[in-house]
Amino acid sequence: MTERGLSTPAVERIVRAGSTRPASRWPSGKAKRAPDTEARAQVVLRRLADALKVKSVVVVNRVLGEIAAMTGMSRQAEGERDAAVAEANRWLEGQAVVRRDLFARLDEAVTARRTKQIRELLARVNATASHDRADTKDVIAAAADYMTAFTAEACARVRDILDDLSRTGRHLQPAPMRSLVEKAVQTRPT
């Protein structure tokens, strides 16, 4: 008899076993080690190729940053890396040309007040050049302002035409009614 109660050799083993960590059922094996530089380089190069396939400027730039930080590669891996980086940089240069052309066309459409073209080009800007608009925010703002003003003006014109039709529509002959409908149709963007 002890202060903890009845003590037997079996109880002592149970108490000792409870205070130690139970043995693992599974062998621990080797500790996981980080992938070697060559394997990491291949993974990053595959990610770069995937980014080029989906035409993502943002991801291509991010992966190029990761590649630039990699060191300790074999000559063969360095050669593969250099070729992939050169291809990616050529692609980025081409995208910069496309982007400049897109914004030049948008600026020209705003100047010429070509509503339909502005709308189409703004959609392309949103889809393809949304990652970096700092240097072109004036062109985008001008296009957005034009579209806002055009929409408000077009809505007011259509509202006036509809008011005319509702006031006099029942009493109009076909020719004047046709004229009002043509005015409404002409309110569409050009």
Side-chain angles (χ1 to χ4, degrees):
M1 219 30 188
T2 67
E3 62 240 13
R4 291 185 301 178
L6 182 62
S7 179
T8 65
V11 170
E12 289 297 320
R13 280 194 304 272
I14 292 170
V15 169
R16 268 187 263 124
S19 63
T20 61
R21 215 170 125 209
S24 172
R25 290 181 165 185
W26 309 103
S28 62
K30 293 183 180 178
K32 284 189 176 180
R33 60 184 186 117
D36 67 351
T37 306
E38 302 296 314
R40 281 186 289 137
Q42 291 303 315
V43 168
V44 174
L45 290 177
R46 272 194 302 275
R47 286 183 39 224
L48 180 60
D50 291 343
L52 288 168
K53 281 180 190 172
V54 296
K55 299 179 189 242
S56 173
V57 172
V58 175
V59 178
V60 168
N61 280 319
R62 187 179 310 135
V63 175
L64 284 175
E66 289 177 38
I67 289 172
M70 294 188 75
T71 58
M73 291 183 275
S74 69
R75 286 185 191 258
Q76 179 182 353
E78 285 178 356
E80 291 173 14
R81 175 201 61 199
D82 293 346
V85 167
E87 177 187 349
N89 284 326
R90 278 191 301 275
W91 182 80
L92 286 171
E93 289 168 9
Q95 291 304 301
V97 169
V98 168
R99 185 175 181 277
R100 280 191 301 273
D101 177 60
L102 177 63
F103 282 102
R105 289 175 43 214
L106 179 60
D107 190 32
E108 180 184 311
V110 170
T111 302
R113 303 180 62 84
R114 291 191 299 263
T115 308
K116 186 175 181 180
Q117 187 179 13
I118 293 169
R119 184 178 296 134
E120 291 168 358
L121 290 170
L122 276 174
R124 286 193 57 203
V125 164
N126 284 332
T128 61
S130 62
H131 63 281
D132 182 18
R133 297 181 178 188
D135 59 337
T136 56
K137 65 182 177 185
D138 293 339
V139 173
I140 295 171
D145 289 346
Y146 172 80
M147 289 305 296
T148 300
F150 174 82
T151 302
E153 184 182 324
C155 287
R157 280 188 279 167
V158 168
R159 196 174 311 115
D160 290 345
I161 293 168
L162 290 175
D163 286 345
D164 287 349
L165 281 171
S166 68
R167 275 193 310 269
T168 59
R170 292 182 215 162
H171 309 293
L172 283 179
Q173 296 298 318
M177 186 176 288
R178 185 177 306 118
S179 173
L180 285 173
V181 171
E182 285 173 358
K183 279 184 187 177
V185 170
Q186 290 170 356
T187 306
R188 291 186 336 195
T190 56

